[in-house]
Amino acid sequence: PRWLFQVFNLTFIAITQNILLFLLAIPTHNAAILDPKDRALQASDYVLAALSLLMLVLEFTADNQQYSYQTHKRSGVLNPHEWPGARIAWTQADVQRGFITRGLWGWSRHPNFACEQTFWILQALFPILAAPSLSKITRGDMTPLYVGLIAPLALCALFLGSTRFTEDISMSKYPVAYRAYQQRVAMFIPVLTPVYGWILQMRGKKDEVDRLVFGDVVAKDGVVKKMN
């Protein structure tokens, strides 16, 4: 209802999200008030920086793969000048299926969301992993290090709720194929996808599900059809 959306808009979109963004800056605040002698880079800084850059690259690639798929779905034309990580030879079965299941999306149902959440967790870990080397704070008071994890964990909860909502919409549009996709591919964590495959294999359903998710068949109105 319109009135309920206005309440949601005021309490969550206009207020809660801004508080969340404010809290995401806690690690930056802690870094800004460090004593100059404590600002030397640690081994953990290099590792977290490399992982953070990796998350940005993967998120960029996942978004471009989705864009490439949706563009081909509408136009039917393969663009040879796509970002190399998104240069996928989409098939008619991919188009008829209605949603992307290839590339990074074959490992995670929402790889861009997974990378986004991981990126902010990594930012919160910078001061936490460097904590033993922090000896003096010369300006202001440092926010307790573990408080910095509150915002990224709250962000994860937000993503989980909104993702379930979007998946309900997808389920209503593609009830058979998307249910198979949920059974075969993990929502966020890609290392769980092989586990899902193993469970389906034990149940004797892996081949059937794989054909629906990755193969040359599509499910329309509950009927599975092979694409020529």
Side-chain angles (χ1 to χ4, degrees), residues 184 200 205-216:
R184 183 64 181 88
L200 288 170
K205 295 184 176 182
K206 185 175 182 294
D207 291 342
E208 174 189 352
V209 171
D210 278 356
R211 291 184 69 209
L212 276 170
V213 176
F214 307 119
D216 59 350

Short mmCIF file of all heavy atoms in Angstrom, two decimals, residues 184 200 205-216:
data_model
loop_
_atom_site.label_atom_id
_atom_site.label_comp_id
_atom_site.label_asym_id
_atom_site.label_seq_id
_atom_site.Cartn_x
_atom_site.Cartn_y
_atom_site.Cartn_z
N ARG A 184 20.76 -25.92 -7.42
CA ARG A 184 22.08 -26.23 -7.98
C ARG A 184 23.17 -25.24 -7.63
O ARG A 184 24.35 -25.61 -7.47
CB ARG A 184 21.96 -26.32 -9.51
CG ARG A 184 23.25 -26.72 -10.23
CD ARG A 184 23.66 -28.11 -9.83
NE ARG A 184 24.89 -28.53 -10.47
CZ ARG A 184 26.11 -28.31 -9.97
NH1 ARG A 184 26.26 -27.64 -8.84
NH2 ARG A 184 27.18 -28.75 -10.61
N LEU A 200 22.82 -33.18 -4.89
CA LEU A 200 21.91 -33.58 -5.97
C LEU A 200 22.35 -34.89 -6.60
O LEU A 200 21.51 -35.73 -6.98
CB LEU A 200 21.85 -32.48 -7.03
CG LEU A 200 21.08 -31.21 -6.64
CD1 LEU A 200 21.31 -30.12 -7.68
CD2 LEU A 200 19.59 -31.50 -6.50
N LYS A 205 19.54 -36.59 -8.87
CA LYS A 205 18.83 -35.53 -9.60
C LYS A 205 19.78 -34.55 -10.30
O LYS A 205 19.31 -33.62 -10.96
CB LYS A 205 17.93 -34.74 -8.64
CG LYS A 205 16.80 -35.55 -8.04
CD LYS A 205 15.90 -34.67 -7.18
CE LYS A 205 14.71 -35.45 -6.64
NZ LYS A 205 13.81 -34.58 -5.83
N LYS A 206 21.07 -34.73 -10.17
CA LYS A 206 22.02 -33.74 -10.68
C LYS A 206 21.92 -33.56 -12.19
O LYS A 206 21.91 -32.42 -12.69
CB LYS A 206 23.45 -34.12 -10.30
CG LYS A 206 24.49 -33.07 -10.70
CD LYS A 206 25.87 -33.44 -10.17
CE LYS A 206 26.88 -32.38 -10.53
NZ LYS A 206 27.10 -32.30 -11.98
N ASP A 207 21.86 -34.64 -12.96
CA ASP A 207 21.81 -34.53 -14.41
C ASP A 207 20.57 -33.77 -14.86
O ASP A 207 20.64 -32.90 -15.74
CB ASP A 207 21.85 -35.91 -15.06
CG ASP A 207 23.19 -36.59 -14.89
OD1 ASP A 207 24.18 -35.88 -14.59
OD2 ASP A 207 23.26 -37.83 -15.04
N GLU A 208 19.46 -34.07 -14.26
CA GLU A 208 18.20 -33.41 -14.61
C GLU A 208 18.26 -31.92 -14.30
O GLU A 208 17.89 -31.07 -15.13
CB GLU A 208 17.05 -34.06 -13.84
CG GLU A 208 15.70 -33.36 -14.02
CD GLU A 208 14.65 -33.89 -13.07
OE1 GLU A 208 14.92 -34.90 -12.37
OE2 GLU A 208 13.57 -33.28 -13.00
N VAL A 209 18.77 -31.58 -13.11
CA VAL A 209 18.85 -30.19 -12.71
C VAL A 209 19.87 -29.44 -13.55
O VAL A 209 19.64 -28.30 -13.97
CB VAL A 209 19.20 -30.08 -11.20
CG1 VAL A 209 19.51 -28.64 -10.82
CG2 VAL A 209 18.05 -30.61 -10.36
N ASP A 210 21.01 -30.07 -13.83
CA ASP A 210 22.04 -29.44 -14.66
C ASP A 210 21.53 -29.09 -16.04
O ASP A 210 21.86 -28.05 -16.61
CB ASP A 210 23.27 -30.36 -14.78
CG ASP A 210 24.19 -30.26 -13.57
OD1 ASP A 210 23.92 -29.43 -12.68
OD2 ASP A 210 25.18 -31.00 -13.52
N ARG A 211 20.71 -29.97 -16.62
CA ARG A 211 20.17 -29.70 -17.95
C ARG A 211 19.23 -28.50 -17.91
O ARG A 211 19.20 -27.70 -18.84
CB ARG A 211 19.45 -30.93 -18.49
CG ARG A 211 20.37 -32.10 -18.82
CD ARG A 211 19.59 -33.24 -19.44
NE ARG A 211 19.10 -32.88 -20.77
CZ ARG A 211 17.99 -33.38 -21.31
NH1 ARG A 211 17.24 -34.24 -20.62
NH2 ARG A 211 17.61 -33.02 -22.52
N LEU A 212 18.48 -28.36 -16.84
CA LEU A 212 17.58 -27.22 -16.72
C LEU A 212 18.34 -25.91 -16.49
O LEU A 212 17.97 -24.87 -17.02
CB LEU A 212 16.62 -27.44 -15.56
CG LEU A 212 15.36 -28.26 -15.83
CD1 LEU A 212 14.65 -28.58 -14.53
CD2 LEU A 212 14.43 -27.52 -16.78
N VAL A 213 19.43 -26.00 -15.73
CA VAL A 213 20.15 -24.78 -15.34
C VAL A 213 21.21 -24.40 -16.36
O VAL A 213 21.34 -23.22 -16.72
CB VAL A 213 20.80 -24.97 -13.95
CG1 VAL A 213 21.63 -23.75 -13.57
CG2 VAL A 213 19.72 -25.21 -12.90
N PHE A 214 21.98 -25.38 -16.85
CA PHE A 214 23.11 -25.08 -17.71
C PHE A 214 22.96 -25.62 -19.13
O PHE A 214 23.72 -25.23 -20.02
CB PHE A 214 24.40 -25.68 -17.14
CG PHE A 214 24.67 -25.29 -15.72
CD1 PHE A 214 24.75 -26.25 -14.72
CD2 PHE A 214 24.86 -23.97 -15.37
CE1 PHE A 214 25.01 -25.91 -13.40
CE2 PHE A 214 25.13 -23.60 -14.05
CZ PHE A 214 25.20 -24.57 -13.07
N GLY A 215 21.99 -26.52 -19.34
CA GLY A 215 21.95 -27.26 -20.59
C GLY A 215 21.09 -26.64 -21.68
O GLY A 215 20.82 -25.44 -21.70
N ASP A 216 20.63 -27.51 -22.59
CA ASP A 216 19.91 -27.07 -23.78
C ASP A 216 18.41 -27.29 -23.67
O ASP A 216 17.72 -27.45 -24.67
CB ASP A 216 20.44 -27.81 -25.00
CG ASP A 216 20.28 -29.33 -24.88
OD1 ASP A 216 19.94 -29.79 -23.77
OD2 ASP A 216 20.49 -30.04 -25.88
#
